[in-house]
Amino acid sequence: MTRMPVQIMCLSAVALALASCAGEPRRAMPLDGRSVERLAAVRVDPAGATRILNAYRADRGLNPVRLDPVLTAMAQRQADAMVAANTLSHDVGGSFQARVHGAGLDAARAAENLGAGYYSTEEAFAGWRNSTGHDANLRMAEATRFGIALAKDPQTQYRAWWALVIAGDAPRRQELTAGPVGYFGSNLPAPR
């Protein structure tokens, strides 16, 4: 008789483990009143982000970047996709490469930083600076612009989800201007 409850408990534990492996996102525990207020106060600060990022880049001898509405919209779509899926992933909103090409960016000059659980723009940047790969993106020499976004949901694992896209402008195409078209050396008759 004592074996049955143990078997049921073991089967329940196995079922829970399999469910988590199947990709079911973990939900956060309910927030207390103070935590709800703290999350509600979280805001992305674009001007502050610009100051933080440009000061960091200037300290390393890099050119400043400007806030870009296309990159901001791209970052917002990714942050929203992560909160909807309750998953911190570069692919949840579509592969980064596909999103870069869809936005008309030069893939060789674009990068993305994601973060979750940060309750201020300053905390998000501190987290990125402390991560080798994210820090390299902040220091991308070719970067000229960036976008930053935040999505929130108190029912998700991290509650506050951040995305930053940083990119350089596409190389300018050089056009040859040779003046009027000449027909020298051509076997074609000149137009009349």
Side-chain angles (χ1 to χ4, degrees):
M1 198 130 167
T2 59
R3 287 188 167 185
M4 191 64 139
V6 171
Q7 289 173 337
I8 290 173
M9 287 174 48
C10 288
L11 288 174
S12 296
V14 169
L16 285 172
L18 289 175
S20 67
C21 290
E24 178 63 30
R26 188 178 76 149
R27 294 291 170 184
M29 298 300 292
L31 294 173
D32 60 34
R34 185 170 186 270
S35 296
V36 169
E37 288 176 14
R38 187 171 174 231
L39 180 63
V42 177
R43 300 275 186 267
V44 66
D45 178 5
T50 303
R51 279 190 306 278
I52 292 167
L53 182 53
N54 283 333
Y56 188 65
R57 290 175 60 83
D59 286 347
R60 282 141 192 83
L62 298 167
N63 291 329
V65 292
R66 69 186 183 283
L67 189 64
D68 181 271
V70 171
L71 299 184
T72 298
M74 187 177 168
Q76 189 65 62
R77 284 189 299 275
Q78 183 64 14
D80 292 341
M82 289 188 304
V83 87
N86 194 20
T87 302
L88 184 62
S89 168
H90 289 282
D91 295 323
V92 74
S95 77
F96 182 64
Q97 291 290 48
R99 291 183 287 116
V100 163
H101 290 299
L105 301 175
D106 179 359
R109 292 182 165 98
E112 177 176 72
N113 284 0
L114 304 178
Y118 300 121
Y119 278 62
S120 70
T121 303
E122 292 82 5
E123 282 183 22
F125 274 97
W128 291 327
R129 285 190 305 263
N130 289 325
S131 164
T132 304
H134 293 113
D135 186 56
N137 292 342
L138 297 176
R139 294 180 293 107
M140 182 192 310
E142 305 86 6
T144 56
R145 55 198 172 128
F146 80 104
I148 188 168
L150 166 68
K152 301 183 290 184
D153 183 342
Q155 300 304 311
T156 59
Q157 181 177 0
Y158 297 110
R159 298 182 176 111
W161 304 76
W162 295 82
L164 176 136
V165 179
I166 189 164
D169 293 321
R172 299 206 186 276
R173 292 185 178 169
Q174 301 249 340
E175 294 184 24
L176 298 176
T177 55
V181 177
Y183 289 91
F184 304 107
S186 171
N187 292 335
L188 299 173
R192 294 182 184 203

